[in-house]
Amino acid sequence: MGESMIKKISNNSNVVIISHIADIDGMGSIILARKYYKNLDYILIEINELLDIFKNTNFYNYEIIYVCDLAISKSVQEYLDNHPEITYKLKHFDHHETCENTPKYINSIVNINNIPTCATELFYNYLTSLEEKFNKNFYKTYVQATRQQDNFDFGNEEYNAKLLAFTHALIGPENYIELICNLNDNENFKLPKIYEDLYISDLEKQKEYTDFVNKNLYVTNYNKYVIGITISEQYRSIVGNNICKLRPEIDFIMIINFNRNKVSLRSVKENIDLNVIGKKFHPDGGGHKLSAGFLIDSISIPKLKKYVDMYLENLSK
């Protein structure tokens, strides 16, 4: 099991949610479920921990197992195919690309009405079909801000979207869940002013960090693509999006993060499919066309090593 995992198990709940620990989309389904159920267990994980969760968790007492914002990889599917006692309880809400002819328990929807969706929106639509109280401006704003941030598809909720992402990074998953759950859903959605003030002060740090990454970016080739390489542990999606805009000569950026043992791939060019490229480095890698990644382990290291070496050699100069 990974050190990043967070488990909140009460032993008297009949519902459990397994969701992604890394970003606000992973938090969204838990927050909405907390608003719906009086009692709820949840487990927050990185995607590579999902197989271990299914193997090592006793799901006997649960009536429903929600899995949100986590793509079910080939290895996880192979395990679940042999465990119908889990899959008949499983409700899956995810928005990552998946293979054709997947089993019915895998529910991955990438777009709604040609607009990129997210797990929070998919779960919200499900709960709205069960409970009219979710049809409020509070939830509509929160869900739309989460969707826009997760896809970097910004519109009228861009400020809330970026503020939510900053707040999550600042206070961590558990405090973030409690903060949003404690807001009054009979009012318009709004975070306390202290988080707005801190976010505004952080914008300069984001710019400084982006400038640092840009200065040390190593540009090389990957197959037919021009790519930028960086070893970075902060603001990965912000850095990825900003660098790709600042450096139009690159097709995508590879952000190597040894702290999380993950590589993030980001692009702003519609003719690139990073989901496919992520799977080239690791069979369980992938994600979206413009936002994907893969785990750093014994499978990906032989393919990744030369890019790390190139970056470090360039940095030493």
Side-chain angles (χ1 to χ4, degrees):
M1 299 288 185
E3 293 182 1
S4 61
M5 185 183 302
I6 296 173
K7 299 178 77 172
K8 290 292 184 181
I9 306 297
S10 64
N11 296 317
N12 62 355
S13 172
N14 60 2
V15 178
V16 62
I17 289 189
I18 307 165
S19 194
H20 195 197
I21 196 171
D23 55 33
I24 64 172
D25 191 27
M27 307 300 109
S29 300
I30 294 172
I31 289 164
L32 293 172
R34 281 271 300 270
K35 293 284 191 175
Y36 182 77
Y37 294 100
K38 292 182 178 180
N39 193 17
L40 176 78
D41 289 350
Y42 69 80
I43 305 172
L44 288 170
I45 60 171
E46 292 285 6
I47 190 168
N48 58 293
E49 297 171 316
L50 186 56
L51 181 58
D52 283 340
I53 285 293
F54 280 127
K55 286 183 175 180
N56 297 303
T57 303
N58 183 358
F59 293 107
Y60 179 80
N61 290 325
Y62 292 115
E63 296 177 8
I64 303 175
I65 305 167
Y66 292 117
V67 175
C68 301
D69 197 32
L70 292 164
I72 294 180
S73 66
K74 183 178 180 181
S75 58
V76 175
Q77 181 183 328
E78 288 173 352
Y79 178 81
L80 290 176
D81 284 344
N82 294 306
H83 291 272
E85 75 280 4
I86 295 177
T87 57
Y88 92 91
K89 300 178 178 182
L90 184 62
K91 293 184 183 295
H92 182 226
F93 299 89
D94 185 50
H95 64 128
H96 299 91
E97 298 278 356
T98 188
C99 301
E100 295 182 359
N101 302 317
T102 55
K104 291 183 178 179
Y105 61 79
I106 294 181
N107 175 41
S108 186
I109 299 173
V110 179
N111 299 296
I112 296 178
N113 297 326
N114 295 319
I115 297 174
T117 186
C118 68
T120 299
E121 182 177 45
L122 295 171
F123 191 68
Y124 170 73
N125 290 344
Y126 164 75
L127 288 181
T128 302
S129 71
L130 302 178
E131 178 58 68
E132 178 63 26
K133 73 176 183 179
F134 285 96
N135 190 23
K136 294 180 179 180
N137 286 335
F138 176 94
Y139 294 110
K140 292 176 182 178
T141 299
Y142 170 68
V143 170
Q144 189 59 216
T146 301
R147 186 202 69 79
Q148 290 183 18
Q149 174 63 32
D150 199 59
N151 291 284
F152 267 66
D153 180 36
F154 295 116
N156 62 330
E157 293 301 337
E158 179 174 1
Y159 181 79
N160 275 325
K162 293 181 177 180
L163 179 58
L164 285 172
F166 165 78
T167 303
H168 174 261
L170 178 70
I171 66 177
E174 293 175 272
N175 290 328
Y176 178 86
I177 291 168
E178 294 302 320
L179 174 67
I180 306 300
C181 284
N182 287 327
L183 296 177
N184 185 349
D185 61 7
N186 290 315
E187 300 177 351
N188 289 329
F189 180 84
K190 185 175 179 61
L191 289 184
K193 187 176 183 298
I194 185 173
Y195 297 105
E196 294 189 70
D197 293 342
L198 290 169
Y199 168 64
I200 291 170
S201 69
D202 191 65
L203 290 176
E204 184 60 33
K205 293 181 181 178
Q206 294 180 23
K207 183 181 181 304
E208 290 175 358
Y209 194 75
T210 299
D211 290 343
F212 170 80
V213 171
N214 190 34
K215 179 181 177 181
N216 295 289
L217 193 73
Y218 182 72
V219 178
T220 185
N221 294 309
Y222 170 80
N223 293 341
K224 63 180 180 179
Y225 300 110
V226 178
I227 70 169
I229 302 170
T230 181
I231 296 177
S232 174
E233 295 183 350
Q234 298 182 52
Y235 306 118
R236 71 182 186 282
S237 289
I238 294 170
V239 164
N241 191 262
N242 289 346
I243 293 295
C244 287
K245 290 178 178 178
L246 286 170
R247 303 289 288 270
E249 74 273 20
I250 69 172
D251 294 307
F252 68 89
I253 184 171
M254 176 184 289
I255 305 170
I256 303 164
N257 187 334
F258 290 112
N259 185 46
R260 296 180 67 230
N261 280 333
K262 291 196 71 175
V263 174
S264 298
L265 308 175
R266 297 291 186 270
S267 181
V268 295
K269 296 185 177 180
E270 291 292 338
N271 63 328
I272 294 173
D273 193 340
L274 296 180
N275 177 55
V276 173
I277 294 172
K279 293 183 186 302
K280 296 288 186 183
F281 282 88
H282 197 292
D284 288 343
H288 308 290
K289 282 191 65 176
L290 302 182
S291 174
F294 57 89
L295 182 68
I296 300 175
D297 65 7
S298 59
I299 297 174
S300 62
I301 285 174
K303 303 172 186 177
L304 181 65
K305 183 178 183 300
K306 71 175 184 178
Y307 297 103
V308 175
D309 290 344
M310 284 189 289
Y311 176 82
L312 293 176
E313 182 179 353
N314 178 65
L315 197 64
S316 67
K317 295 177 183 179

